[in-house]
């Protein structure tokens, strides 16, 4: 980028700074363009979104407020438009749409949205709404009855394996989502048929690079730093669950030394759950590492601060906020 003052090329720099949001202070890795002098600093709209997005994420996590994808999921479970959902919650339509687009709701509005996640509590909100037409109310009541009957007795195995559902710095400020994780595995399997060791690193880079671009991971997956590099938390159980559900195919190869190699082959797992931006990140990772061997990608991952500073720690989980913006491959 060229300086609007001197017309000369500027450098993209990052430094730790404090940002104040709603009277609270948050440390972020601030992105800016630097010219020849200290005073010659500029940001773009995209950089502003990354900078304030880091503060938004930490504020939501600190106060346990819903993230945009969770707000959208709550609405979609009832099959409602944003306009109808806003009516029931008593918000203006534009206000509600801004929440789904990334604006941080007030604490009172956030609690009401979280209350709406429970079908029976949402039924009470529907009953209090006087602007809904009779047909919409009837349709909603049927859906609520169905959701009540289908409510799981206990969390599914995938939720247990993915970890805590509350978004935080270790999930890339996204609720862990098994279907999105399966879609990532399917995309890499289709393009590369990677061995398990390589696949683990591909997933790590895709999630962390996307976080560097958007302040959110793709899957909400947590990653551990082990001797062979970053790996998805509980990856063995997750891959076996995918195979049991016929979402992926695992091909096993026995070697003379007694070890077993696992290679991932393509299946018809739905990838359309991922956005165009997320698929763009995955394709960039594929292009970067398509010809790399498992040894090569292990070597690359061992150069990352994300791995070096966590591999010998008791809790080996890697923070997106701390390391996502400083990857060598980002």
């Amino acid at each position: 980028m060229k300086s609007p003052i001197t017309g000369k090329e500027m450098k993209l720099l990052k430094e730790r700074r404090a940002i104040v949001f709603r009277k609270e202070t948050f440390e972020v890795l601030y992105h800016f363009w630097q010219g020849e002098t200290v005073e010659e600093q500029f940001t773009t709209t995209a950089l502003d979104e990354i900078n304030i997005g880091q503060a938004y994420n930490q504020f939501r996590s600190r106060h346990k407020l819903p993230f945009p994808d969770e707000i959208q999921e709550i609405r979609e479970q009832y099959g409602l438009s944003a306009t109808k959902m806003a009516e029931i919650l008593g918000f203006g339509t534009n206000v509600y749409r801004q929440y789904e687009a990334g604006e941080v709701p007030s604490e009172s509005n956030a609690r009401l949205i979280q209350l709406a996640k429970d079908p029976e509590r949402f039924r009470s909100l529907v009953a209090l709404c006087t602007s809904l037409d009779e047909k919409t109310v009837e349709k909603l009541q049927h859906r609520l009855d169905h959701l009540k009957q289908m409510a799981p007795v206990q969390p599914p195995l995938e939720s247990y394996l993915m970890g805590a559902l509350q978004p935080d710095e270790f999930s890339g400020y996204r609720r862990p989502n098994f279907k999105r994780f399966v879609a990532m595995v399917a995309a890499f399997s289709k393009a590369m048929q990677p061995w398990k060791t390589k696949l683990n690193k591909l997933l790590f880079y895709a999630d962390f690079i996307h976080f560097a671009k958007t302040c959110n991971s793709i899957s909400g997956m947590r990653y551990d730093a082990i001797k062979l590099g970053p790996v998805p938390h509980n990856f063995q159980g997750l891959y076996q669950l995918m195979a049991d559900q016929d979402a992926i195919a695992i091909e096993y190869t026995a070697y003379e030394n007694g070890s077993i190699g696992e290679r991932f082959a393509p299946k018809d797992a739905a990838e359309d759950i991922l956005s165009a931006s997320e698929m763009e990140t995955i394709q960039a990772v594929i292009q970067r590492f398509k010809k790399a061997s498992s040894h090569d990608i292990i070597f690359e991952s061992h150069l990352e601060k994300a791995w070096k500073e966590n591999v010998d720690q008791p809790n080996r989980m890697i923070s997106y906020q701390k390391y996502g913006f400083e990857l060598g491959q980002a």
Side-chain angles (χ1 to χ4, degrees), residues 67 69 167-168 171-176 180 216-220 278:
F67 283 72
D69 56 342
D168 58 23
S171 70
Y173 295 104
R174 186 163 210 157
R175 282 201 311 152
R180 298 176 68 81
N216 294 107
S217 66
I218 298 175
S219 67
E278 291 163 343

Side-chain angles (χ1 to χ4, degrees), residues 80-97 99 106 108-113 115-116 122 124-132:
L80 291 169
S81 66
T83 300
K84 292 296 184 185
M85 190 68 173
E87 282 185 53
I88 295 169
L89 295 175
F91 304 160
T93 302
N94 288 339
V95 170
Y96 179 80
R97 289 186 188 279
Y99 291 161
S106 65
S108 58
N109 284 357
R111 300 302 174 229
L112 187 58
I113 292 169
L115 188 73
F122 189 67
S124 300
L125 295 175
V126 172
L128 292 171
C129 182
T130 58
S131 61
L132 294 177

Side-chain angles (χ1 to χ4, degrees), residues 10 29 68-69 93 102 124 151-152 189 197 203 210 234 250 268 282 313:
M10 298 188 295
L29 191 64
D69 56 342
T93 302
S124 300
S189 298
T197 299
L203 293 163
H210 196 72
N234 287 332
I250 304 177
D268 294 327
I282 289 171
Q313 297 301 315

Side-chain angles (χ1 to χ4, degrees), residues 261-274:
E262 298 175 49
R263 196 166 194 167
F264 291 74
K267 293 284 284 189
D268 294 327
E271 295 172 34
D272 55 5
I273 190 174
L274 303 179

Side-chain angles (χ1 to χ4, degrees), residues 161 189-190 208:
L161 291 171
S189 298
K190 185 181 295 183
F208 272 71

Side-chain angles (χ1 to χ4, degrees), residues 19-26 59 62-63:
I19 285 184
V20 177
F21 176 68
R22 294 185 183 172
K23 300 182 180 180
E24 296 184 35
T25 302
F26 303 92
F59 183 87
R62 179 181 294 178
H63 294 279

Side-chain angles (χ1 to χ4, degrees), residues 313-327:
Q313 297 301 315
N315 180 359
R316 300 174 299 182
M317 208 165 283
I318 302 171
S319 166
Y320 285 82
Q321 177 60 37
K322 187 174 182 180
Y323 301 103
F325 299 106
E326 300 184 275
L327 289 184

Side-chain angles (χ1 to χ4, degrees), residues 21-22 56 60 68 71 95 98-105:
F21 176 68
R22 294 185 183 172
Y56 283 0
R60 286 191 182 98
I71 295 173
V95 170
Q98 288 171 356
Y99 291 161
E100 286 198 1
E103 190 68 31
V104 181

